[in-house]
Amino acid sequence: MAVDKMLIPEQFVNPASGFQSLREVGATNTDEVRLDEDQAQQQEDKHGLQLETQTPPRKASSFCSFRFGVSVLLHFCNVAMVAQRMSLNLTMVTMVNQTDPHGLPNASAKKNLDNVTNPTYHWSPDVQGIILSSIFYGTVIVQVPAGYFSGIYPIKPLLGFGLFLSSVLSLCIPPIAEVGATALILCRVVQGMAQGVAGAAQHHIWVKWAPPLERGRLASVSLSGFLLGPFIVLLATGFICEHQGWPVVFYISGAYGCATSLFWFILFYNEPKDHPCISISEKDYIASSLAQQVSSSGYSLPIKAIFQSLPLWAIVFVATAMLWTANLLATYTPTFIHTMFHVPVGENGLLSSLPSLVAYFFGILSGQLGDFFLSRNILRRLTVRKLFTALGTFSPAVFSLCLLYLSFNFHSTIVFLILLGATSSFNLVGLSVNVLDIAPRYCGFLNGIISLIGMIGGLLSATITGIMLSQDPEFSWHKIFLLAAAFNLVSIIFYLIFAEADVQDWAKESQDTRL
């Protein structure tokens, strides 16, 4: 009996304890299985997220695609806006009898047209400066509101009506100039406001249309319109003024802008999924590429976190330096060439347009190179942003110094002036796309802030340059270019230290923040 009792399992001797042991073992095994499944799921999710962020889905063709067509359409819209903005910079030489700061007659303006087709006005240098800068004051006013509303309302009417209004006002500039300088200043302010809305709104387009690995290429094509426009204006304006009269310049740019805005309303759609002609493969590629990107609908602004973000301030600092130099060159390159070499207005326009032409090709090339480095995993996104921003900010500082100390004749001066203006276009792949990297959800609003601060820097640049030239028109150029070079050097150092290329915590949808 003892042997039989010893051979009987414990659970049969004490059924309650046996069942309890079985439950404990089963529960333990179940917990272990669930834990293993959870860990496996977490690893799978993490691995999938890495694949989504590092290895994009098979892309549809970039060229001959609708997203590339949107970029080209924006390109021509930007050409129209910058042409309307800059036309007055060169026509001012023929619109007034005296453009020299000391009131010397303008010998380069040919009097081959009568006062009816080529009217002239007696505006002082101070009034001329206000007229030239008035469009920037209008642009500055609307930057932040336009950037904010571009994240809420459809982009199509914001950009389309802004461009159309600017074009109509360009057509009205010749008759308004007959009324007086005050009326012309008001017209340019309103025109600047219209362009400010259109310019701020377009940044948000790439939140819906640009796959992350194509942002540099698409943005460089669209933004390079701001580089091609000055080339066309500066190249053609001088010859049109000499042979047709300066009013024709504004009629051409206004008519071109009206036609472009019409094409915009017909061809553009706010999102790829709404476009009736886009292919299914391209639509799926864009949607899958942006699957991890947070939505911007109904967002609230984390104001405190935004203004405490050092990566954002790094972008702001470099953008201000870039616009300082860009506005200096756009406004005063014709004056610099005229002061140094006293060339005719037609030749002046040709020489002044060369930096924009070279910058145009540099910008397109940098967009291709930047996305090539990213798509082939040659460089990290942050490295690409820092590399091209450094090239676009440090190089102009170097060529500013070369312009001052290494240019000994006409040809060397023109070469360094071209490189000074052209190398800044490398920023199209670095600085200009960096906001989309760190905060795609607030892209429109942040670009409005960046443009506001940067344009204030541009206005200060034009104002300070004008004051320096009024005091010493011959030798102030050294101080002007040294100041621009110093600003560029300080800003790029700050950017290289604090720049980021990942979505910031405050820009993620999980952050429950309020304005």
Side-chain angles (χ1 to χ4, degrees):
M1 294 294 296
V3 174
D4 294 340
K5 185 176 181 180
M6 290 177 61
L7 294 176
I8 297 174
E10 182 179 357
Q11 57 266 33
F12 291 103
V13 177
N14 190 353
S17 63
F19 292 146
Q20 182 178 0
S21 300
L22 289 174
R23 284 195 299 267
E24 291 175 354
V25 172
T28 302
N29 292 337
T30 302
D31 291 340
E32 291 176 355
V33 171
R34 289 177 179 174
L35 181 60
D36 292 338
E37 291 176 350
D38 292 339
Q39 291 177 348
Q41 184 65 35
Q42 291 176 359
Q43 293 177 356
E44 182 179 356
D45 293 342
K46 183 178 179 181
H47 180 65
L49 181 59
Q50 291 175 348
L51 288 177
E52 288 176 351
T53 56
Q54 295 179 1
T55 305
R58 180 178 296 275
K59 71 173 185 176
S61 176
S62 178
F63 295 101
C64 301
S65 63
F66 273 89
R67 61 188 184 278
F68 187 75
V70 169
S71 182
V72 173
L73 182 59
L74 271 176
H75 174 91
F76 289 111
C77 291
N78 292 333
V79 169
M81 286 191 288
V82 77
Q84 296 164 12
R85 183 186 310 165
M86 289 193 61
S87 294
L88 202 59
N89 291 354
L90 197 58
T91 58
M92 185 64 72
V93 178
T94 57
M95 289 174 68
V96 297
N97 289 327
Q98 296 176 343
T99 58
D100 189 88
H102 287 281
L104 298 177
N106 176 22
S108 64
K110 294 183 179 180
K111 304 300 181 181
N112 58 338
L113 297 174
D114 57 39
N115 197 50
V116 176
T117 58
N118 205 35
T120 57
Y121 309 98
H122 296 278
W123 294 331
S124 66
D126 294 338
V127 173
Q128 295 176 45
I130 296 174
I131 293 174
L132 290 174
S133 61
S134 57
I135 191 170
F136 293 101
Y137 289 104
T139 306
V140 165
I141 293 172
V142 300
Q143 283 301 303
V144 175
Y148 176 76
F149 288 119
S150 68
I152 300 176
Y153 299 105
I155 305 298
K156 185 174 185 175
L158 289 176
L159 193 150
F161 284 118
L163 175 58
F164 180 74
L165 177 58
S166 174
S167 304
V168 171
L169 291 174
S170 182
L171 294 171
C172 296
I173 284 179
I176 290 176
E178 291 289 333
V179 177
T182 302
L184 182 58
I185 291 171
L186 291 176
C187 174
R188 293 287 282 180
V189 169
V190 177
Q191 188 178 31
M193 295 174 68
Q195 290 195 5
V197 172
Q202 70 174 272
H203 294 291
H204 205 79
I205 290 175
W206 302 125
V207 176
K208 300 292 181 62
W209 276 92
L213 296 183
E214 296 182 13
R215 288 171 178 169
R217 179 184 298 112
L218 297 175
S220 66
V221 171
S222 62
L223 294 176
S224 63
F226 288 116
L227 303 173
L228 183 62
F231 168 73
I232 296 174
V233 170
L234 294 171
L235 179 64
T237 298
F239 296 100
I240 293 175
C241 290
E242 288 182 346
H243 300 289
Q244 300 294 328
W246 64 262
V248 178
V249 174
F250 297 98
Y251 297 146
I252 294 175
S253 63
Y256 170 73
C258 290
T260 307
S261 63
L262 177 62
F263 280 105
W264 173 261
F265 281 114
I266 295 174
L267 299 177
F268 178 73
Y269 286 78
N270 290 301
E271 296 188 30
K273 64 182 180 63
D274 299 327
H275 204 294
C277 301
I278 191 172
S279 65
I280 297 177
S281 60
E282 182 179 1
K283 187 184 301 184
D284 291 342
Y285 169 65
I286 296 175
S288 59
S289 298
L290 301 177
Q292 298 299 320
Q293 184 170 285
V294 295
S295 173
S296 61
S297 58
Y299 67 83
S300 58
L301 295 173
I303 295 295
K304 183 178 179 181
I306 287 176
F307 284 99
Q308 290 178 343
S309 175
L310 287 176
L312 177 61
W313 281 110
I315 298 174
V316 170
F317 202 2
V318 175
T320 305
M322 181 188 69
L323 290 176
W324 179 290
T325 303
N327 196 41
L328 167 66
L329 295 176
T331 306
Y332 286 100
T333 295
T335 304
F336 174 76
I337 294 176
H338 175 70
T339 302
M340 293 297 175
F341 305 110
H342 304 284
V343 297
V345 64
E347 186 179 349
N348 192 337
L350 175 62
L351 295 174
S352 300
S353 67
L354 291 179
S356 298
L357 177 63
V358 180
Y360 175 75
F361 291 109
F362 278 13
I364 299 294
L365 177 63
S366 63
Q368 300 297 321
L369 286 176
D371 286 354
F372 174 79
F373 292 149
L374 289 176
S375 61
R376 300 298 178 90
N377 293 321
I378 298 174
L379 296 175
R380 296 169 54 240
R381 181 178 285 112
L382 179 60
T383 305
V384 170
R385 302 297 180 242
K386 287 185 176 182
L387 172 63
F388 283 94
T389 303
L391 289 174
T393 308
F394 182 74
S395 298
V398 172
F399 290 119
S400 295
L401 299 178
C402 293
L403 182 66
L404 297 177
Y405 300 108
L406 297 179
S407 56
F408 303 107
N409 51 41
F410 172 81
H411 295 93
S412 61
T413 300
I414 296 301
V415 168
F416 288 131
L417 189 63
I418 291 173
L419 293 175
L420 167 60
T423 51
S424 63
S425 62
F426 287 117
N427 281 311
L428 296 182
V429 188
L431 173 70
S432 300
V433 190
N434 203 182
V435 179
L436 271 173
D437 296 328
I438 67 171
R441 192 163 181 246
Y442 307 111
C443 175
F445 177 74
L446 296 180
N447 273 296
I449 293 177
I450 294 169
S451 299
L452 171 63
I453 300 175
M455 287 181 179
I456 291 175
L459 291 173
L460 290 175
S461 170
T463 303
I464 293 173
T465 301
I467 294 173
M468 289 181 175
L469 290 177
S470 64
Q471 296 175 352
D472 188 0
E474 291 289 339
F475 300 101
S476 293
W477 294 108
H478 278 70
K479 298 178 183 178
I480 292 169
F481 286 113
L482 279 176
L483 181 60
F487 196 178
N488 279 20
L489 289 175
V490 174
S491 65
I492 191 57
I493 292 173
F494 188 86
Y495 182 86
L496 292 176
I497 296 174
F498 295 107
E500 296 289 345
D502 297 323
V503 178
Q504 302 298 292
D505 291 338
W506 49 267
K508 296 177 181 178
E509 196 168 11
S510 58
Q511 292 290 109
D512 186 16
T513 52
R514 292 291 182 267
L515 178 61

